[in-house]
Amino acid sequence: MKTNNYILTIAGLDPSSGAGITSDIKTFEAHQLYGLSVCTAVTVQNDINFKECVWINKAVIISQIETLFERFEITVVKIGIIESWEVLSLVLDKLQMLNPEIKIIVDPIIKASAGFDFHSLEHQDILDKIWSQCYIITPNYDEIQLLYPDLNIEETIEHISSLTNIHLKGGHRKDKTGWDVIYHSKTVVKRIAPKAKKVLQKHGSGCVLSAALASNMMLGQNIEEASMNAKYYTETFLNSTDNLLGQHSYPIMKIKS
């Protein structure tokens, strides 16, 4: 089946659908794309309480990926939670083997908003290889500071941006809350100011931004356009409800009688 409308998420299942593959699929649909999914974990959680994470065997993850590529042409993929840096590296190798031109967006989720540590510090020696295989990564300020414990945040940004592009989310910043910063093409820095004066907290907001960013890239936008539109889509999502689970804005088809 050949089409340019398919986009893939590789992430975990969140039964509340605020985060993970079901959240990504809703974001893709809102961008009028058809979302495909590979499950990396089954979590037991709701929007306020994380109880358990059952990781999917890496052979099963690879088999899911191979089966989708047998049927669909996939050029953009977003990756969320995954068991370890080692498994992520295996997945990246497989994706690039199946499509050497694929654009890979990685959201390096280290801790869930509902409280759960996904990654230990094991195998951090392969991080450089991982970033070099990604098109862009989307950490927040808390996450990026955990990636290289021996470096400060400025040194970490300089190091990673020499290997890949970065959309650094500003929601956890203490100095300029809500200001995102894009580091791309090794030398360009683009700061994105928030439009909304105030946003409401949501479960899975990081998943929404990275899925929206992947969607915009699938639609042919360049890095700066894709990042700005993803940020403002996420702001709208954050203010869509007054609880922790947001609503996506779907295009509405008007039927004329």
Side-chain angles (χ1 to χ4, degrees), residues 52-107:
E52 187 178 3
C53 178
V54 180
W55 297 108
I56 301 297
N57 181 284
K58 59 187 177 185
V60 177
I61 295 172
I62 295 299
S63 182
Q64 291 178 79
I65 293 171
E66 290 174 335
T67 302
L68 288 176
F69 273 80
E70 289 171 3
R71 175 68 170 160
F72 305 105
E73 181 176 305
I74 300 169
T75 58
V76 175
V77 57
K78 176 241 163 161
I79 301 177
I81 65 163
I82 209 155
E83 183 174 7
S84 66
W85 300 126
E86 185 180 21
V87 176
L88 175 57
S89 181
L90 182 70
V91 167
L92 293 173
D93 289 344
K94 174 57 68 173
L95 290 170
Q96 292 194 320
M97 185 188 78
L98 293 167
N99 180 359
E101 303 300 321
I102 196 166
K103 286 185 176 177
I104 301 171
I105 294 89
V106 169
D107 186 15

Side-chain angles (χ1 to χ4, degrees), residues 175-195:
D175 53 346
K176 300 179 77 171
T177 303
W179 281 72
D180 291 6
V181 186
I182 316 304
Y183 302 87
H184 71 90
S185 308
K186 299 186 186 298
T187 58
V188 181
V189 180
K190 172 71 175 178
R191 292 174 173 80
I192 306 176
K195 279 187 176 179

Side-chain angles (χ1 to χ4, degrees), residues 105-171:
I105 294 89
V106 169
D107 186 15
I109 304 166
I110 296 175
K111 187 171 184 176
S113 58
F116 183 85
D117 290 329
F118 288 111
H119 284 296
S120 68
L121 298 180
E122 296 176 359
H123 300 292
Q124 286 205 311
D125 54 316
I126 62 173
L127 284 181
D128 287 2
K129 175 180 176 291
I130 286 172
W131 308 141
S132 67
Q133 292 176 285
C134 299
Y135 186 72
I136 190 167
I137 66 171
T138 62
N140 61 39
Y141 266 73
D142 290 342
E143 290 165 340
I144 200 166
Q145 294 178 77
L146 296 174
L147 294 175
Y148 293 88
D150 295 335
L151 303 180
N152 62 38
I153 187 168
E154 290 80 12
E155 292 169 336
T156 300
I157 291 169
E158 182 180 1
H159 177 68
I160 297 177
S161 62
S162 71
L163 301 168
T164 189
N165 304 305
I166 307 171
H167 181 132
L168 185 57
K169 296 173 289 192

